[in-house]
Amino acid sequence: MSKIDEVFSAVETGKAKIIAELVQSAIDAGEDPMEILNRGMVSAMSVIGERFSRGEAFVPEMLISARTMKKGVEVLKPYLAKDAVNSLGTAIIGTVQGDMHDIGKNLVAMMIESAGFEVVDLEVDVPLEQFVEAIAAHPNVRIVALSTLLTTTMPAMKQIVAGLNALENRDSFRIMVGGAPITEEFARQIGADGYSPDAAAAAALAKSLAS
Ligand code: B1M
């Protein structure tokens, strides 16, 4: 079994106690950190999600795999996020109201930070009011980034973007959206400035929107 397969298997089966050691050993063996993330961890989460859809796995399994992945990402973080001088301004990020999923949002936050933004992470289940307060509290906000994984919270994303679009200082920041059910077309329909399908593309998009 390859090192990446071992990581995959540990995330799939929720082996949180050994994941840090396995990820470190894959890095030490020269595996590409992005491959460890995508082939080892993200794809294992997809398998769990498919099982959940078929009624073969349940919330506790999703939860222990998520915990395992989070521990693995902690080890990968310094290899994925290169040191950057925070000079591109502030990016506010959060998972929208009603949605508790945070792994993808955390990866996007990490990549945006490594692209040179100071990141203010509002975490999960974030209503419009909290985004508005954060924008008011940070003078140099250039990006507001919204994540959602649930189709049921896409209307909340739409409502938050509408509220942000109505702010007086709307010209001073750009809104970007993403998450599994989100598409370019949905982003355009709700009035966001940009959409990206994954964390690496999100960092590139944030830079181009802020420039
Ligand atoms: Co949930 N869940 N979950 N879950 N869960 C999904 C999303 C689901 C697709 C599973 C399935 O049915 N196959 C399904 C949603 C179906 C739908 O809406 N169509 C689902 C469901 C139904 C639910 C519950 C309703 C289950 C229940 O209680 N009956 C419930 C909802 C709770 C709530 O939020 N209110 C629920 C709960 C949970 C757990 C808490 C158990 C756990 C989350 C733990 C956590 O996040 N701390 C969980 C998990 C782990 C999943 C799956 C298995 C994995 C999600 C994940 O972390 N993926 C997921 C199935 C799946 O995704 N295949 C599923 C890895 C992560 C790296 O990918 O988050 O997609 P992702 O992020 C990517 C991109 O989407 C993108 O970049 C990231 C990295 O490249 N991206 C952005 C994300 N945000 C972005 C923002 C951007 C740009 C790109 O710009 C701003």
Side-chain angles (χ1 to χ4, degrees):
M1 202 190 257
S2 78
K3 296 282 182 194
I4 290 185
D5 290 341
E6 286 179 25
V7 170
F8 180 99
S9 167
V11 173
E12 185 190 14
T13 52
K15 299 280 189 306
K17 284 189 180 149
I18 59 165
I19 189 71
E21 191 187 311
L22 290 176
V23 171
Q24 190 59 56
S25 137
I27 291 166
D28 294 344
E31 298 287 2
D32 176 3
M34 214 50 164
E35 288 282 294
I36 301 173
L37 177 71
N38 289 327
R39 281 206 293 125
M41 297 198 246
V42 175
S43 54
M45 295 303 288
S46 300
V47 168
I48 294 294
E50 283 156 21
R51 259 187 227 146
F52 177 80
S53 297
R54 294 196 298 268
E56 295 164 6
F58 303 93
V59 169
E61 280 96 332
M62 288 204 286
L63 207 48
I64 55 169
S65 286
R67 277 195 199 130
T68 307
M69 175 159 175
K70 278 188 177 185
K71 289 195 169 177
V73 170
E74 279 307 306
V75 180
L76 273 187
K77 204 170 170 180
Y79 300 90
L80 291 172
K82 308 273 182 297
D83 282 344
V85 183
N86 291 337
S87 59
L88 297 180
T90 300
I92 291 172
I93 189 165
T95 301
V96 305
Q97 186 166 30
D99 189 343
M100 309 304 286
H101 294 86
D102 68 354
I103 296 178
K105 182 268 297 166
N106 292 346
L107 288 174
V108 171
M110 186 174 83
M111 297 305 280
I112 289 182
E113 188 172 16
S114 78
F117 290 87
E118 189 190 324
V119 172
V120 175
D121 188 348
L122 303 179
E123 304 292 341
V124 296
D125 191 20
V126 185
L128 169 64
E129 297 69 31
Q130 215 179 319
F131 282 105
V132 173
E133 280 164 21
I135 292 167
H138 295 89
N140 194 19
V141 175
R142 308 297 307 281
I143 297 289
V144 180
L146 313 180
S147 172
T148 197
L149 270 260
L150 299 171
T151 47
T152 49
T153 46
M154 289 167 73
M157 181 176 266
K158 181 179 176 183
Q159 182 244 336
I160 291 168
V161 172
L164 296 176
N165 277 337
L167 293 178
E168 267 180 25
N169 60 345
R170 173 61 176 97
D171 285 347
S172 64
F173 60 85
R174 296 286 171 269
I175 304 170
M176 52 185 277
V177 295
I182 306 305
T183 60
E184 185 98 55
E185 199 195 346
F186 179 75
R188 197 171 28 77
Q189 276 172 9
I190 65 173
D193 299 308
Y195 154 82
S196 66
D198 58 47
L205 176 65
K207 272 175 111 168
S208 80
L209 287 176
S211 65

